[in-house]
Amino acid sequence: MNKRYLIRARSCARVARGPLPRALNKFRVLHPCLPLLLHGQGSVHGDQASGSQRDQRMETTIRAAIARSRREVRRTSGWGGVIYILPALIILILFEFWPIFFNLWISLWRWDVGPVAFIGFGNYQRLFGEGFVTRDYADRIVVGEVLESLIVTVYYVLGRVPPTIALSFVLAYMLFQGVRRGRAALRLAYFLPYITSSIAVAMVFTWIFNPRIGVVNAVLEGLGLPPQKWLQDPIPAAKRVLQWFQVGGLESWPDIAAGPSMALVVVIVYSIWASLGYSIVIYLAGLTNIPSDLYEAARMDGADGWALLRLIVWPLLKPITLFLVIVNTINAFQAFDPIFALTRNSGMGRGEAGGPLDTTLTMPVFIFRNFYERSNSVGYAAAVAFLLFFILLGLTIVQFRILGRTSYDQ
Amino acid sequence: MSPSLAQYNRRQFSSALSYVLLIAGALLVIFPFIWMLLGSFKNIEESNRFPPTIWPESWHPENYAQAWNAPPSTLGRYLLNSTVIAVTGTTLQVLICTLAGYAFAMLRFRGREVLFLLVLATTMIPNEVTLIPNFVTIRRFPLLGGNDLFGAGGSGLYDTYIAIVLPGLAGAFNVFLLRQAFMTVPHEYWEAAQIDGCGSFGYLWRVMTPLTLPTLLTVAVFGFIGRWNGLLWPLIVTRSESLRPVQVAMTYYQTEFLTDYGTLMAASILVTLPIIVLFLLIQRQFISGVVSAGLKG
């Protein structure tokens, strides 16, 4: 390719970008997905694309850049454009930005249907005090309700995200490599739960995992394994498994320290089932974008399937993996519907979501319970919501730091 | 055997293995749907049998009638409510986001960058933080629903369709998606449209929207499915059965038909079917929409 052509393209792109990307650059520090949104598949293409492909891409880039640079200067009509964004802006300010401050305000009150009494940081004292460490009926020091909910949330996220990523990568790779005919049909099958997952579909899981009549227990029995109580079992799954094999080791551990409860494991299984399709589709798109001559070149050099996977596919899909880790983690931290649908009627307690014995009470469900099902604790729920907000914010920033270390534009 | 033939055989073998594993996996993923469908025809006795039967011994389509007439209001009513919520909400959302996306893509005005940043920043605010304040905002909305100027006295927008639909109408991510789509439309169209005497709104309406139809469709389908499957927000801001959507109704059915899994599954099928049909109609377009939303934006 002509070098002058390239230089011109770059300057065009610079002009076209104008002031907006500068502002966006600042924003990139805050937002984890943005580098991916902006650079997207460019990282997958990298510079490894073949000559003709690169030429073609360069041409489209240039065309788009020129068009954009012309468009940029077209209008300087003061506030004219604001009218177009006004409806969206009003709604976003009223229902997205204002709530952050309003939430803080509510968390400073004892609040029931309306404000009852201003108590300053009382809710936060309760949250970080007895919410974290408290004493039980026998005056022993135990984990408080907020910390317990936080631990349950972490179990849920860790139980859900890594298996989703691993499974979807393997399935997408098999779909891409091993399958010619029927790929669309298989992709459809894996994607179906993602769009239908709702309370209605979760119902069938309460039947499948029913301890008395469920089909899963029928299968276990057929295999000669002991039937389980699934959604009604607050005992950690690890303890149950050790019981099957009659090995000791965890009996003395408090339940909260011994991993997710059996009930939470079922919730995790459902959540993986419901979210798998999305990650598969994204991975599949990433795999399709790897130029095929790369494979051919590697094959010529004698690379076998495993080497291909390890040296080419995995590194090139790394940005997509990170994107999926972030999206899935944020979704998992905020998940409410799966837990509400599966644990509301788990047969113990008062029919509230989060049971049995609060072992599936993740933070969103904890907030919902205090807000909707308890009296006088709306302010407390708001304080916990704020804690969740900062946890997510911190997590986002940490993930961005990790993300920032891997290069996108190679 | 030559090395290339060995390699070929190995590849054939791994392809066959992939097929077996993928089909087994797909069957496992589809299994809950199959179980739901077969179960919806079993009577209460058969659905509570252990070990369970796979194929129904006797078929009971009357489960569907029973699910349809379930209390406290008929399923038809809830389906209608959901349709109203999903259709009006999605239409307004597409409209609002299109206008905003167009302005951010094509028009130049003071404060554009800052406002765009503001819009993008909302994608980082988790639902849990906005849940409680938004409920209070709806409940104490000034001058509506018997409220005075300071939001006291009445119930504001609580228990109205507006309350269900309003907070989700903007959707920063949709604005972003549409902006990206509008930016790909070649500039020549604008020049041609100008010669024909087209204003900036006419250009959006007559030229831009037809050209970016795939993205608009993606946004609309996302919006529709999200509203159809939504539970928490409608549950919180409504009380009347004449407003509540199907997913909220499903929580009653779970209690109502506690052990009558046949009827419960029939209700699940009736609620999920519209989404499955919608998805099958436009699945290719929709999946590529999900991909571009996830990767390119």
Side-chain angles (χ1 to χ4, degrees):
Chain A
M1 171 172 300
N2 189 328
K3 203 169 182 183
R4 260 177 42 216
Y5 198 32
L6 209 119
I7 290 165
R8 173 157 162 65
R10 289 216 175 112
S11 69
C12 267
R14 219 173 0 250
V15 171
R17 278 196 200 122
L20 189 59
R22 266 215 309 280
L24 282 177
N25 263 337
K26 271 180 233 153
F27 187 66
R28 275 170 62 162
V29 183
L30 294 172
H31 199 286
C33 302
L34 211 65
L36 282 154
L37 292 175
L38 294 176
H39 299 297
Q41 291 158 324
S43 51
V44 178
H45 291 303
D47 277 328
Q48 293 96 345
S50 70
S52 69
Q53 270 178 315
R54 199 164 45 198
D55 278 3
Q56 231 170 21
R57 209 170 302 127
M58 189 57 76
E59 214 175 284
T60 27
T61 314
I62 291 164
R63 285 229 181 115
I66 293 169
R68 231 178 294 153
S69 67
R70 276 203 227 146
R71 218 174 292 147
E72 280 289 327
V73 290
R74 203 181 69 225
R75 257 162 191 275
T76 45
S77 58
W79 293 95
V82 179
I83 294 163
Y84 286 79
I85 35 170
L86 212 55
L89 209 60
I90 290 172
I91 290 167
L92 286 178
I93 288 172
L94 193 60
F95 294 108
E96 294 284 349
F97 283 108
W98 163 240
I100 297 175
F101 304 102
F102 198 17
N103 191 70
L104 180 64
W105 178 244
I106 293 171
S107 73
L108 302 178
W109 287 74
R110 184 182 306 128
W111 194 293
D112 194 36
V113 183
V116 178
F118 187 84
I119 52 171
F121 291 103
N123 285 321
Y124 291 94
Q125 265 166 15
R126 181 177 160 200
L127 196 172
F128 289 110
E130 63 176 293
F132 269 69
V133 184
T134 184
R135 287 173 184 278
D136 66 358
Y137 59 92
D139 211 35
R140 285 172 302 208
I141 292 174
V142 289
V143 169
E145 53 177 2
V146 179
L147 184 58
E148 193 180 335
S149 170
L150 196 61
I151 293 170
V152 168
T153 314
V154 170
Y155 285 151
Y156 175 72
V157 173
L158 289 181
R160 172 176 158 176
V161 179
T164 304
I165 301 289
L167 267 176
S168 59
F169 180 77
V170 171
L171 288 168
Y173 190 65
M174 284 199 296
L175 271 171
F176 180 71
Q177 278 289 305
V179 171
R180 289 285 163 269
R181 232 173 301 160
R183 189 193 286 176
L186 284 166
R187 187 179 67 165
L188 187 69
Y190 284 108
F191 197 65
L192 204 56
Y194 173 67
I195 53 144
T196 52
S197 66
S198 62
I199 302 297
V201 171
M203 302 280 151
V204 74
F205 276 76
T206 63
W207 187 17
I208 290 172
F209 283 99
N210 186 299
R212 193 168 49 84
I213 51 163
V215 65
V216 177
N217 271 353
V219 171
L220 282 186
E221 213 177 69
L223 296 171
L225 292 166
Q228 295 299 313
K229 279 159 61 195
W230 301 119
L231 285 163
Q232 295 173 17
D233 192 356
I235 305 297
K239 285 192 181 179
R240 284 288 185 223
V241 173
L242 290 183
Q243 277 172 11
W244 286 0
F245 299 109
Q246 284 159 0
V247 241
L250 280 176
E251 288 94 341
S252 56
W253 287 46
D255 281 356
I256 186 69
S261 71
M262 212 59 173
L264 190 62
V265 169
V266 178
V267 174
I268 289 170
V269 168
Y270 170 76
S271 306
I272 292 173
W273 175 79
S275 63
L276 195 62
Y278 176 77
S279 303
I280 290 178
V281 164
I282 300 283
Y283 263 134
L284 208 53
L287 283 164
T288 321
N289 278 335
I290 297 176
S292 58
D293 31 350
L294 251 172
Y295 292 110
E296 293 311 316
R299 283 229 182 82
M300 292 286 183
D301 292 345
D304 60 349
W306 175 243
L308 217 62
L309 186 68
R310 198 167 49 87
L311 297 173
I312 294 179
V313 177
W314 181 250
L316 283 178
L317 289 187
K318 219 169 167 189
I320 291 182
T321 304
L322 287 165
F323 169 75
L324 287 175
V325 167
I326 290 171
V327 169
N328 277 305
T329 307
I330 290 174
N331 284 343
F333 257 100
Q334 295 187 51
F336 174 82
D337 289 11
I339 299 144
F340 185 80
L342 292 176
T343 67
R344 221 168 47 91
N345 279 355
S346 51
M348 289 168 101
R350 307 182 228 183
E352 288 179 333
L357 295 180
D358 294 350
T359 56
T360 60
L361 190 69
T362 60
M363 288 186 84
V365 186
F366 184 91
I367 292 162
F368 173 79
R369 179 185 284 185
N370 279 286
F371 164 53
Y372 198 70
E373 291 171 332
R374 299 269 192 276
S375 54
N376 257 325
S377 56
V378 175
Y380 184 50
V384 177
F386 232 60
L387 176 67
L388 180 64
F389 178 47
F390 280 109
I391 290 172
L392 275 172
L393 208 65
L395 206 73
T396 305
I397 291 167
V398 167
Q399 281 178 327
F400 173 74
R401 286 284 139 95
I402 299 168
L403 213 87
R405 247 183 266 140
T406 58
S407 122
Y408 287 97
D409 318 88
Q410 326 213 355
Chain B
M1 199 189 282
S2 71
S4 67
L5 190 61
Q7 212 170 27
Y8 174 78
N9 279 343
R10 204 166 53 216
R11 228 191 276 172
Q12 283 299 95
F13 172 73
S14 78
S15 172
L17 189 71
S18 291
Y19 263 113
V20 170
L21 288 175
L22 280 168
I23 289 170
L27 285 178
L28 204 63
V29 166
I30 292 297
F31 174 74
F33 293 108
I34 296 168
W35 199 248
M36 203 157 109
L37 189 64
L38 293 175
S40 71
F41 292 102
K42 292 176 184 171
N43 65 11
I44 185 161
E45 185 276 320
E46 195 183 348
S47 66
N48 278 281
R49 207 180 293 166
F50 191 85
T53 55
I54 295 169
W55 203 255
E57 272 174 4
S58 56
W59 294 77
H60 296 274
E62 68 268 19
N63 285 344
Y64 283 85
Q66 203 182 340
W68 186 267
N69 294 319
S73 190
T74 67
L75 190 63
R77 177 75 220 188
Y78 297 119
L79 286 168
L80 182 73
N81 296 342
S82 273
T83 311
V84 169
I85 292 164
V87 169
T88 54
T90 307
T91 313
L92 288 171
Q93 181 187 34
V94 169
L95 216 66
I96 289 170
C97 294
T98 302
L99 287 175
Y102 178 68
F104 283 127
M106 298 291 294
L107 307 178
R108 208 171 158 78
F109 50 89
R110 222 164 293 154
R112 187 178 76 165
E113 304 142 48
V114 177
L115 288 175
F116 189 56
L117 274 183
L118 215 66
V119 169
L120 277 184
T122 59
T123 55
M124 287 178 66
I125 302 168
N127 293 335
E128 277 69 29
V129 175
T130 57
L131 184 74
I132 298 167
N134 281 352
F135 173 78
V136 179
T137 304
I138 289 292
R139 179 114 209 173
R140 320 199 115 218
F141 212 89
L143 302 175
L144 288 171
N147 278 353
D148 60 21
L149 187 62
F150 302 100
S155 58
L157 289 170
Y158 178 76
D159 206 29
T160 60
Y161 276 125
I162 301 173
I164 303 173
V165 168
L166 188 64
L169 281 186
F173 195 66
N174 294 323
V175 174
F176 180 74
L177 264 182
L178 287 164
R179 171 183 172 268
Q180 300 299 96
F182 289 142
M183 279 169 51
T184 61
V185 175
H187 186 62
E188 285 73 21
Y189 284 100
W190 168 239
E191 282 161 5
Q194 262 184 325
I195 292 165
D196 293 342
C198 214
S200 69
F201 185 77
Y203 178 60
L204 167 66
W205 183 242
R206 297 221 178 89
V207 182
M208 282 292 217
T209 46
L211 284 173
T212 53
L213 212 56
T215 311
L216 285 166
L217 199 67
T218 305
V219 169
V221 173
F222 261 126
F224 190 91
I225 291 178
R227 283 180 178 81
W228 191 273
N229 290 340
L231 167 81
L232 182 55
W233 180 249
L235 171 72
I236 284 173
V237 294
T238 58
R239 185 180 41 203
S240 316
E241 301 309 326
S242 58
L243 292 172
R244 292 189 142 179
V246 271
Q247 302 295 351
V248 176
M250 283 309 292
T251 66
Y252 315 147
Y253 289 8
Q254 197 178 26
T255 318
E256 177 72 28
F257 301 112
L258 193 55
T259 54
D260 187 0
Y261 284 104
T263 311
L264 198 60
M265 291 308 111
S268 293
I269 295 267
L270 289 172
V271 170
T272 317
L273 208 59
I275 291 294
I276 294 182
V277 170
L278 178 73
F279 173 66
L280 289 180
L281 282 178
I282 53 155
Q283 50 109 353
R284 206 166 280 269
Q285 162 62 38
F286 184 67
I287 290 180
S288 65
V290 169
V291 169
S292 65
L295 292 185
K296 294 196 288 257

